[in-house]
Amino acid sequence: MTEAVPLLSVDNLALEFRTRGGLVRALENVSFHVGTGEIVGIVGESGSGKSVLSHALLRILDSAGRVSAGRAVFNGLDLLAAREAEMRAIRGRKIAMIFQNPRAALNPIRKIGQQLEDVLMQHTHAPRHDIKKRAIECLEQVRIPDALRRYHAYPFELSGGQCQRVMIALAIAAEPALLIADEPTTGLDVTTQAVVMDLIRDLVRRNHMSAILITHDLALASESCDRIVVMHAGHVVETAPTRALFATPRHPYTARLIGATPHDCTDVRTLASIPGSLPDLRAASLPLCRFSARCEQYTSACDQPLPLAVFNQHHSVACHTPL
Amino acid sequence: MARKPVWGTIFRRLLGALPSLAGVVVVTFILTRALPGDPAAFFAGAAATPEAVEEVRKQLGLDKNLAQQFLRYLSELAHGDLGQSLTTGQPVSTELVNRLPASLELTLFGLLLAAVVAIPLGVLAATRRDSWIDHVSRLITTAGVSLPVFFTGLLLIYIFYFKLGWAPSPMGRLDPYASAPATVTGFFIIDSLLARDLGLLTASLKQLLLPAITMAIFVMAPLARMTRAAMLTALSSDYTRTTRAMGLSRYTVVYRYALRNALLPVVTTLGMVFSFMLGANVLVEKVFSWPGIGAYAIEALVASDYAPVQGFVLTMAILYVLLNLVIDVLYSIIDPRMAAQ
Amino acid sequence: MNAMFKHARYVLQENPLTLFAFGLFFFLVLLAAFGQVLAPYDPLASDTAVALQAPSLAHWFGTDQLGRDILSRVMTATRLDFAIALSAVALSFIIGSVLGCGAGFFGGGFERAVGRTADTIMAFPLFVLAMGIVAALGNSVANIVLATAVINLPFYIRVARTEASVLRNAEFIEAARLAGGGNARILALHIYPNILPPMMVQISLNMGWAILNAAGLSFIGLGVRPPTPEWGIMVAEGASYIITGEWWIALFPGAALMLAVFCFNLLGDGLRDLIDPRRRT
Ligand SMILES: Nc1ncnc2c1ncn2[C@@H]1O[C@H](COP(=O)(O)OP(=O)(O)O)[C@@H](O)[C@H]1O
Ligand SMILES: [Mg+2]
């Protein structure tokens, strides 16, 4: 980055889960940054540690998870070392999050209006009688039709797309600086997907927020993101501006992902699939390059510690034999 | 959003309870006819002459066939006629109605005490999972459910009446010199409050406390366990994660979100809890000479006086069906998803 | 098998209480087997010269109002209490598992009838129903066993029915059917054995409850008659002496009762962790 200090900068983040089956090393050496006003995509197949990463940033991990190394500096504050009280001032207010499966992510027995008010009461100091008005405004902002009536609805009375709009309303209620959207459209039908993505993009741009878009769908990320971080099995394998990533992918995994993505004019029949599966993260000795077992470029040199090759200041890749 | 009114829900739940009610009536009828040997001889009593036995047989309709007997049983039930006690000569239904409030007061107060202790305990155990408080609560609740109620009752009497002298003598709802408050609800606590008689209130509370604690200790375990399990589920749910991600205070997260959701499954287990309590009620009434319907049934059992026992079983079963109905309705009121169905 | 053993060791380490429960269980089984022989006195021999004596070296648990040795009575009673609970549980296990298994497997009218029966039993407060059954069938130990079995029946029916209806559509059942197995054969050889593990958990959770119920019934004067030593009735005999301070008459049989129930409850929990770690609460 040539400009000022990024809004969020994550360095060498490592994270483990203690489980009955042993230690799961879910994240290792994860580094990336998000600039002000930027939309960054985090892409990787399911299980590569994207959600866990976002939970770690907000420190809302399960009790079994533990950050074992690294820093995540947001606005000068290391989120991973901050006190719990400081985190409470950050969550929802400076950094907000949208989850996959919006229906389950909303309290099933509380009116959505009340859930919005809970957030507003926590983060704004609006007087009591204003809160309801603000809540309805939030619902209108996410283009929920008939907001006044929906205010009294329970999540089960809304469609999945509407629930996701409510989630978005909750997330932007306190006008945070950074929005993390974890698979915001997975599980919605295709037209709703497009509408929800448009809404998120619009709100982010209009309110001058930054955003992290987490998805397993490279095509979806390419439509909205300025830069893309590709993850595989808990490692960041490549980071590049969207265009550069598609034009010259450097990591074999990225290349495969692009090959597996229906893009512009690719024919469905020529879609490649990625052979093999993610390694078991519980294994006592994981290879240094967690992609090596699935990689066609694999050589014995790959068993050396991984370099983070920087091609230019915007494009980096973690591979011994980059393309 | 437009929702169906509560009355509709109540009506549908009532309909749903009908099969249970029918089952209860059939089973109690079978139980009245299953008496070993000649039921007429039983109801006539041991000292009855053969003529008297025949007389009773006619009176009870035992000379008719089973279908006719069942119809007769139904019509008697419809008239609130549960037969007469041999020992007191009183109609069973009158006795039961007079004694029911005592049993209910004991059971409900016991449940209240249990809930007041068990729910916070379950919440603590869940929020501090695997801490010492979790282990201690697990041990205590397992021990609590292993204690036979009649034994707990006796232990409490020994400690608090004989040793410490804090509790009054375990003989009924009031000591013999006090007179009961004017009957409104039949619950002494409520009636003495209505009569603004504080002395009477403390007197009846003192009598009630020990047996109610006995009941509470017994049902604390299932309540606390269920609360803990439901809290763990709620705390690890997606919506709780949302509230944490939104920076809501821990109080809001734990109580306004997780606990309220966790109480739903707890309410559904109340049915089982009541089943335990109504059974335990009988034993506790015997230990504390509590003048409820359980004690009445035991006295009758000992005297081989069957009509009161049968009336008691039927009353308890109907009470239980009704309590389940109340739980169902309560559930559909607090869970908007049910109300909308 | 090895994995099972490892898991068992893990559960025991995680939960030392289960280990303790196993120890207690063996102790109680020994008492049930040999209590009568090991008892220092004749449990029925009364001796008014030593009536109502507090625990001493001669009488560790004291003596009751007739001068009988309470320790001997408590030890002797173990067998009867276990026998009642065990036969009741065995009875409801056999009937309940067969009915529930058939209901889950065949479905249809049979399932509805079995379900209705279970629901009707559950429509009563269970202990009260047991009282009613004993009162109607006659006041005997056999009827206590029967009543306890009836009120336990729904639990077995439900567990067996759920398990069987899940298994019904399992692949290996399809395979057995294709291999030419008739319904009876499939039920007996493939379904029934597979519902046994969850039933085991149910049994050990139920044993404690069965003991409590049986003791409760004899406490109110049903079934066992004096002077037979049985924990429930011994507590009942001691009840009237509590308010005059002779605590030991009721305490020791009551404590034995509690210990036995506690043991089975702990075992049930441990067994549940062992067999189904997911459902751990
Ligand atoms: N609570 C947990 N306990 C143990 N392992 C976990 C837990 N949560 C996530 N993981 C592991 O972390 C890895 C990444 O999971 P996740 O972040 O959900 O992937 P993604 O969101 O990319 O699909 C997975 O391998 C998963 O097994
Ligand atoms: Mg995910």
Side-chain angles (χ1 to χ4, degrees):
Chain A
M1 286 253 80
T2 46
E3 319 101 60
V5 194
L7 180 65
L8 169 73
S9 123
V10 178
D11 285 309
N12 282 324
L13 178 63
L15 185 143
E16 317 167 326
F17 285 99
R18 276 165 294 134
T19 68
R20 285 192 176 192
L23 207 62
V24 177
R25 279 168 291 162
L27 294 177
E28 225 172 56
N29 266 331
V30 170
S31 302
F32 66 96
H33 64 264
V34 181
T36 309
E38 214 183 6
I39 301 185
V40 173
I42 296 184
V43 180
E45 63 198 293
S46 183
S48 47
K50 308 177 302 281
S51 300
V52 162
L53 170 61
S54 62
H55 296 168
L57 293 180
L58 278 177
R59 294 238 309 259
I60 53 171
L61 284 168
D62 293 357
S63 52
R66 198 175 66 89
V67 172
S68 53
R71 282 152 50 87
V73 179
F74 174 83
N75 256 346
L77 176 71
D78 183 359
L79 298 175
L80 305 179
R83 278 177 296 124
E84 190 50 34
E86 290 174 309
M87 282 313 289
R88 267 205 300 279
I90 298 257
R91 293 188 196 117
R93 184 167 208 168
K94 298 283 195 279
I95 307 180
M97 191 158 172
I98 301 172
F99 296 95
Q100 182 182 344
N101 193 0
R103 205 188 291 279
L106 293 171
N107 187 343
I109 59 166
R110 200 162 170 78
K111 292 179 179 173
I112 60 167
Q114 289 176 318
Q115 299 190 42
L116 259 169
E117 287 183 359
D118 290 336
V119 174
L120 286 167
M121 297 264 267
Q122 185 77 34
H123 296 302
T124 65
H125 298 289
R128 193 67 258 243
H129 59 271
D130 263 12
I131 291 278
K132 180 167 181 184
K133 213 175 81 208
R134 288 273 293 117
I136 291 171
E137 278 168 19
C138 284
L139 289 176
E140 280 165 350
Q141 232 187 338
V142 294
R143 299 172 207 156
I144 286 191
D146 209 356
L148 196 59
R149 214 160 56 89
R150 290 287 188 261
Y151 173 94
H152 294 287
Y154 291 97
F156 75 93
E157 294 167 316
L158 302 180
S159 69
Q162 280 178 330
C163 283
Q164 193 57 290
R165 284 165 198 254
V166 174
M167 263 314 297
I168 297 170
L170 285 175
I172 61 161
E175 296 167 358
L178 176 64
L179 180 70
I180 304 178
D182 186 359
E183 312 257 9
T185 59
T186 311
L188 303 181
D189 62 71
V190 186
T191 41
T192 319
Q193 279 188 9
V195 178
V196 167
M197 273 319 296
D198 280 349
L199 178 67
I200 293 178
R201 216 163 27 212
D202 263 21
L203 290 169
V204 167
R205 299 282 187 229
R206 182 143 26 107
N207 298 329
H208 312 291
M209 294 194 271
S210 305
I212 296 177
L213 173 65
I214 294 176
T215 175
H216 62 269
D217 183 350
L218 194 54
L220 185 83
S222 72
E223 284 162 20
S224 311
C225 300
D226 304 312
R227 277 188 309 119
I228 290 179
V229 175
V230 180
M231 286 189 67
H232 175 268
H235 283 173
V236 169
V237 294
E238 186 163 5
T239 307
T242 307
R243 255 201 232 155
L245 191 84
F246 276 88
T248 53
R250 300 293 189 174
H251 197 280
Y253 179 63
T254 315
R256 287 266 181 69
L257 268 184
I258 294 173
T261 306
H263 200 250
D264 294 340
C265 50
T266 31
D267 186 346
V268 184
R269 274 166 297 164
T270 64
L271 267 185
S273 67
I274 303 168
S277 55
L278 292 177
D280 183 358
L281 301 183
R282 285 174 307 183
S285 59
L286 276 169
L288 288 165
C289 170
R290 292 182 178 180
F291 188 60
S292 54
R294 307 167 77 181
C295 185
E296 284 166 359
Q297 260 88 4
Y298 174 79
T299 67
S300 54
C302 290
D303 297 328
Q304 306 299 314
L306 265 183
L308 192 69
V310 178
F311 283 88
N312 57 51
Q313 60 192 149
H314 299 304
H315 197 160
S316 56
V317 62
C319 184
H320 287 279
T321 55
L323 300 172
Chain B
M1 309 237 75
R3 268 179 216 99
K4 289 184 189 162
V6 173
W7 288 112
T9 316
I10 295 180
F11 183 69
R12 264 174 296 127
R13 303 279 154 179
L14 253 170
L15 282 185
L18 282 183
S20 302
L21 218 49
V24 162
V25 171
V26 171
V27 170
T28 45
F29 171 73
I30 294 173
L31 287 182
T32 59
R33 306 299 126 145
L35 288 175
D38 183 1
F42 269 98
F43 282 108
T49 57
E51 294 78 43
V53 171
E54 276 318 303
E55 184 62 24
V56 169
R57 192 188 311 284
K58 280 234 176 58
Q59 244 177 41
L60 295 177
L62 290 173
D63 48 348
K64 308 258 174 35
N65 71 27
L66 218 58
Q68 283 171 321
Q69 288 185 33
F70 185 60
L71 285 180
R72 188 189 154 119
Y73 180 73
L74 284 183
S75 99
E76 281 171 359
L77 279 189
H79 291 97
D81 177 6
L82 296 172
Q84 295 200 333
S85 161
L86 280 181
T87 39
T88 65
Q90 294 297 313
V92 170
S93 47
T94 324
E95 276 287 344
L96 286 174
V97 168
N98 288 340
R99 284 165 167 264
L100 191 58
S103 300
L104 271 181
E105 185 174 35
L106 175 57
T107 304
L108 294 178
F109 195 66
L111 180 66
L112 187 74
L113 282 184
V116 164
V117 179
I119 291 178
L121 198 62
V123 170
L124 267 182
T127 50
R128 300 193 190 7
R129 186 182 191 176
D130 287 332
S131 69
W132 63 269
I133 205 163
D134 186 15
H135 293 302
V136 167
S137 114
R138 183 172 169 149
L139 194 68
I140 290 180
T141 51
T142 311
V145 81
S146 308
L147 275 169
V149 265
F150 49 89
F151 181 57
T152 328
L154 290 174
L155 275 184
L156 292 181
I157 290 175
Y158 181 73
I159 297 171
F160 292 102
Y161 169 69
F162 181 79
K163 274 282 170 199
L164 300 175
W166 293 356
S169 98
M171 293 291 170
R173 302 175 83 183
L174 275 180
D175 65 77
Y177 307 108
S179 55
T183 309
V184 183
T185 57
F187 288 22
F188 280 8
I189 295 183
I190 298 178
D191 285 353
S192 57
L193 268 179
L194 288 178
R196 312 243 161 114
D197 189 340
L198 275 187
L200 200 56
L201 176 68
T202 34
S204 45
L205 260 180
K206 267 186 178 166
Q207 294 283 343
L208 181 57
L209 212 51
L210 230 42
I213 290 176
T214 309
M215 300 275 281
I217 288 176
F218 187 56
V219 290
M220 248 173 57
L223 272 180
R225 281 189 164 207
M226 194 58 215
T227 309
R228 177 181 182 273
M231 260 319 262
L232 283 178
T233 311
L235 281 172
S236 63
S237 69
D238 285 5
Y239 56 81
T240 306
R241 197 183 51 201
T242 307
T243 55
R244 288 203 291 149
M246 295 297 166
L248 297 190
S249 66
R250 187 172 165 75
Y251 175 86
T252 313
V253 173
V254 173
Y255 296 97
R256 201 171 289 165
Y257 281 72
L259 180 58
R260 286 198 193 172
N261 278 280
L263 283 181
L264 289 176
V266 174
V267 168
T268 42
T269 50
L270 275 186
M272 210 55 229
V273 166
F274 269 122
S275 175
F276 284 145
M277 288 201 87
L278 294 180
N281 188 60
V282 180
L283 298 166
V284 174
E285 283 185 8
K286 177 168 156 85
V287 171
F288 288 89
S289 310
W290 195 258
I293 62 176
Y296 176 57
I298 292 177
E299 280 163 28
L301 254 183
V302 173
S304 297
D305 183 3
Y306 288 100
V309 180
Q310 286 155 357
F312 159 76
V313 173
L314 183 71
T315 310
M316 278 293 208
I318 291 176
L319 187 64
Y320 182 52
V321 171
L322 290 181
L323 282 171
N324 273 320
L325 192 68
V326 171
I327 293 168
D328 264 3
V329 172
L330 194 68
Y331 190 90
S332 54
I333 290 174
I334 56 181
D335 189 342
R337 288 165 294 185
M338 296 303 259
Q341 268 175 22
Chain C
M1 207 55 231
N2 195 20
M4 182 74 194
F5 181 72
K6 251 167 91 177
H7 181 61
R9 216 177 56 188
Y10 177 84
V11 168
L12 289 183
Q13 271 170 2
E14 277 290 279
N15 192 356
L17 275 181
T18 308
L19 202 61
F20 167 74
F22 265 112
L24 194 56
F25 176 68
F26 279 113
F27 175 69
L28 287 170
V29 168
L30 284 182
L31 259 190
F34 304 112
Q36 206 150 12
V37 194
L38 295 177
Y41 296 87
D42 177 354
L44 297 179
S46 54
D47 177 1
T48 38
V50 292
L52 291 180
Q53 285 194 346
S56 63
L57 276 181
H59 299 279
W60 289 3
F61 286 4
T63 59
D64 66 8
Q65 71 282 8
L66 298 177
R68 294 174 297 196
D69 179 53
I70 293 179
L71 174 62
S72 306
R73 286 175 68 74
V74 168
M75 287 170 76
T76 315
T78 315
R79 184 182 294 179
L80 180 57
D81 275 272
F82 270 43
I84 293 176
L86 205 65
S87 19
V89 165
L91 202 60
S92 46
F93 164 69
I94 292 169
I95 299 174
S97 63
V98 169
L99 281 182
C101 199
F105 184 72
F106 294 113
F110 184 62
E111 179 167 30
R112 272 196 300 280
V114 171
R116 191 76 268 163
T117 309
D119 287 349
T120 304
I121 295 174
M122 295 292 284
F124 286 85
L126 294 174
F127 184 75
V128 172
L129 179 62
M131 277 175 70
I133 292 175
V134 178
L137 297 185
N139 199 345
S140 70
V141 174
N143 285 335
I144 289 225
V145 170
L146 190 70
T148 309
V150 168
I151 62 174
N152 278 320
L153 202 56
F155 300 101
Y156 292 94
I157 290 183
R158 285 180 182 185
V159 173
R161 180 169 70 168
T162 334
E163 297 291 330
S165 68
V166 171
L167 283 174
R168 180 171 60 177
N169 303 317
E171 269 172 35
F172 72 97
I173 299 297
E174 277 307 308
R177 208 190 295 279
L178 288 179
N183 276 341
R185 198 181 152 79
I186 289 178
L187 261 177
L189 289 183
H190 298 286
I191 304 236
Y192 198 75
N194 276 300
I195 67 168
L196 289 182
M199 296 298 271
M200 282 301 295
V201 177
Q202 190 61 42
I203 285 183
S204 67
L205 285 174
N206 239 197
M207 263 305 274
W209 199 58
I211 294 181
L212 271 187
N213 264 305
L217 289 173
S218 55
F219 178 79
I220 59 176
L222 291 176
V224 185
R225 309 277 171 94
T228 318
E230 188 275 343
W231 293 334
I233 209 167
M234 287 172 70
V235 177
E237 284 169 352
S240 47
Y241 293 91
I242 280 282
I243 48 173
T244 50
E246 282 94 9
W247 49 271
W248 56 90
I249 308 181
L251 180 87
F252 290 109
L257 191 53
M258 191 204 105
L259 219 56
V261 179
F262 190 53
C263 169
F264 281 109
N265 285 343
L266 283 180
L267 272 186
D269 279 357
L271 214 56
R272 180 173 48 196
D273 291 354
L274 205 65
I275 289 176
D276 187 0
R278 274 167 304 129
R279 233 178 272 165
R280 181 166 187 192
T281 51

